[in-house]
Amino acid sequence: MSDHALRLLREQPHLAELAAFPFNFDLTRADHGEAVRLASGGPLEAVAGDDTGGTYFVCGDGSVLYADSEGSAGIIGNSVDEALEVLVGLPGWHDHLGLAPADGEEKIRAAVAETEEEIREYHGIDDERAELRAGLGLPERSPVELIGLLHAALLRTEPDFLLLNAEEGGAHALLDRHPRPPLWEAVLARGRTDLTLLREGSAWDEVAEDRARRALALRAAQFDRREGDLPLLRHLLRHEAEASMTDELRLAAVLVGLHGHAEDLPLLYEVRETDFDTWCGLGGMPEPGADPAELGRWARDLDDSLFGTDPSDEPLFTWTGLAHEQGLVELARAALIRRLDDIDFRAYCDARDGKAMERRDASQLSPLVHEFEQLGDTFQALRAQRLYVPLQTRAWDRVSALLRLARLEREEGRFGAAIRTLTSLRDTLAEPDGGAGDGDGDNSLGHWQRTNLGAYIVEEHYALARTAAIDTALADEVRAVTAAAGQLLARLSGTARANAERHLAGTTDIRTDTRTDSHTDTGANAGAGVSAEPTPPQPSAG
């Protein structure tokens, strides 16, 4: 991508002045005023701004991203040269974001001419345009060509150039409002191609032995069902069973079962018996020898409740998971961030109006955390978990949510926040009902000391103490966390204590007095044989 024009603007003040006025590409206005970053983590350099508070950024591949002052952003050129062609050739380009080549030459020319006449009422653009084009070596293109360039660039904004507020994590809106294809269409493209190959009798093993391709082919078959597909569906079902219980295994079983052939019952039974997970996941399946009509009813019931033939009815997480499996990470990330932003905005509105979050939104937060973690995006996972924590009413659920929040904060390097979160967690352990004293009580944490939850709590305290030790400003807080870790470990009993000590081996100095019964739990001061003050943690990245 060429930066020839940008270099000339930086070298020749007269050309830079022309670009700034009347074409509003001002090198002296490159400060956007707030920290932003690309969701992909790609490089971003502010190079110019305009008099409305908008900023022009150059991305890693040379593309120019424009972000306005109202929270919208979009790619406007594949390079600075191309972006300047648009800005100089369409000085009222903001008014033309809704135009597309499909609108036709007559409509495009009329719209551009009307905007330019309005501009000419205040200042000249024609001589200035000719001079700047000549000085920068920009070609003279028609308005129709320029709208085509702008339109194509705008459509490239997502997923690779999704702009975020660097502190809060919310995404900027799209600069334009042109319709985009749904997520499922991009995700299914490879699956449809492979399904065609399978139907032609080729690539059976190549597709079936590749987990991602097999899953996509099955999804393509879900939405394009044909009578002749039964042999290839059987083939895919056999291979999917090797992955144990998956949504696609259940789908393959349903698609085979819908054909209602008795000879498929032994195969389906064999798949169900693969392991315990498949036995549970394919529960209710008719046994070999059953009436084929019973097989058809079983398949139809599952199809109606879990699958169907409309891809737009599938949950978002189906498509983001499949996108991730294909390596379409930014496509999955952009869709998940947009969903989280929607939930975050509605939660804000509900809180402002004194209402509880909608159940549908609340139910998606934990899966969002999981999906972001699968993508390696701890920052966005942390955003979702912060919304999730206040929704937990049972003490056990609050502690579990706080534990996950503390871990995410630690992994993001937000040690002070993680220390505060663990303090809230310990407060909940001490007073599960929040000190309400209403007599009802919350007994869900009654035996936390004997469970894996107790072991995880202790492990997270020690993990935070080790990593936060690199921040000398938190020395006192780290010592408090270390002391709390020892006290919590002393309260564990049975398998929970054994698990915690096993996982902590080699990371902290846990000294046990063999004269003390480590399986006894008598409250906060129990387990005195375990040192409440392990060796001070050393700085560690782990």
Side-chain angles (χ1 to χ4, degrees), residues 4-76:
H4 174 72
L6 180 60
R7 188 169 62 253
L8 289 174
L9 291 178
R10 287 170 170 170
E11 293 171 353
Q12 301 184 36
H14 175 61
L15 293 179
E17 290 172 5
L18 273 177
F21 183 81
F23 301 105
N24 227 352
F25 186 86
D26 191 341
L27 299 181
T28 69
R29 294 178 180 266
D31 182 6
H32 188 56
E34 68 174 8
V36 293
R37 66 177 179 87
L38 293 178
S40 66
L44 197 65
E45 178 192 3
V47 296
D50 62 23
D51 60 10
T52 68
T55 307
Y56 299 94
F57 297 91
V58 177
C59 304
D61 69 343
S63 297
V64 175
L65 180 74
Y66 175 79
D68 65 22
S69 60
E70 303 299 319
S72 298
I75 296 292
I76 62 168

Side-chain angles (χ1 to χ4, degrees), residues 206-218:
E206 293 90 330
V207 173
E209 293 172 4
D210 185 307
R211 161 68 189 133
R213 293 180 68 180
R214 183 174 68 241
L216 287 167
L218 283 167

Side-chain angles (χ1 to χ4, degrees), residues 221-235:
Q222 175 186 348
F223 306 114
D224 180 14
R225 305 180 182 191
R226 299 185 187 179
E227 186 65 31
D229 284 347
L230 184 55
L232 69 88
L233 292 173
R234 291 167 175 160
H235 187 65

Side-chain angles (χ1 to χ4, degrees), residues 314-437:
E314 284 290 326
L316 170 70
F317 304 117
T318 295
W319 302 121
T320 55
L322 291 170
H324 186 201
E325 282 197 55
Q326 291 184 77
L328 302 175
V329 172
E330 296 313 317
L331 190 66
R333 191 196 313 274
L336 292 168
I337 290 174
R338 291 293 188 195
R339 177 60 58 86
L340 178 55
D341 284 353
D342 289 343
I343 294 174
D344 199 358
F345 177 72
R346 287 194 292 271
Y348 165 78
C349 293
D350 289 341
R352 180 196 59 195
D353 299 337
K355 299 189 298 184
M357 181 184 289
E358 292 183 16
R359 181 176 299 178
R360 177 178 177 275
D361 286 345
S363 67
Q364 294 186 61
L365 288 173
S366 187
L368 276 169
V369 175
H370 173 76
E371 292 296 315
F372 280 125
E373 288 203 87
Q374 291 294 105
L375 295 177
D377 196 334
T378 309
F379 182 83
Q380 296 293 343
L382 181 53
R383 282 185 64 206
Q385 187 67 11
R386 283 174 176 160
L387 287 174
Y388 180 73
V389 168
L391 303 178
Q392 308 314 304
T393 56
R394 273 202 333 151
W396 179 283
D397 297 332
R398 286 201 305 277
V399 166
S400 298
L402 287 167
L403 181 62
R404 192 182 204 180
L405 179 62
R407 175 178 60 78
L408 292 169
E409 289 169 335
R410 170 175 58 82
E411 291 175 354
E412 272 292 292
R414 304 186 183 203
F415 302 134
I419 289 170
R420 292 189 293 274
T421 297
L422 288 185
T423 300
S424 297
L425 185 155
R426 295 194 301 275
D427 289 344
T428 305
L429 291 178
E431 296 188 15
D433 59 359

Side-chain angles (χ1 to χ4, degrees), residues 82-99:
E82 186 176 294
L84 282 166
E85 283 187 53
V86 171
L87 301 185
V88 174
L90 301 172
W93 67 275
H94 289 86
D95 296 335
H96 307 319
L97 292 171
L99 288 176

Side-chain angles (χ1 to χ4, degrees), residues 465-480:
R466 291 195 305 275
T467 39
I470 63 175
D471 188 342
T472 56
L474 294 173
D476 291 342
E477 289 86 347
V478 168
R479 279 192 288 271

Side-chain angles (χ1 to χ4, degrees), residues 249-329:
L249 178 64
R250 188 181 286 112
L251 170 62
V254 165
L255 292 176
V256 168
L258 286 172
H259 289 266
H261 293 306
E263 58 265 35
D264 287 320
L265 282 168
L267 169 62
L268 290 168
Y269 182 78
E270 178 186 343
V271 168
R272 191 190 73 177
E273 297 298 306
T274 301
D275 56 36
F276 180 72
D277 289 337
T278 55
W279 186 84
C280 294
L282 297 175
M285 179 187 294
E287 303 281 336
D291 188 329
E294 187 180 346
L295 172 62
R297 283 193 297 273
W298 172 82
R300 282 192 299 275
D301 287 345
L302 274 182
D303 190 30
D304 291 342
S305 61
L306 297 177
F307 299 112
T309 57
D310 187 348
S312 62
D313 288 340
E314 284 290 326
L316 170 70
F317 304 117
T318 295
W319 302 121
T320 55
L322 291 170
H324 186 201
E325 282 197 55
Q326 291 184 77
L328 302 175
V329 172

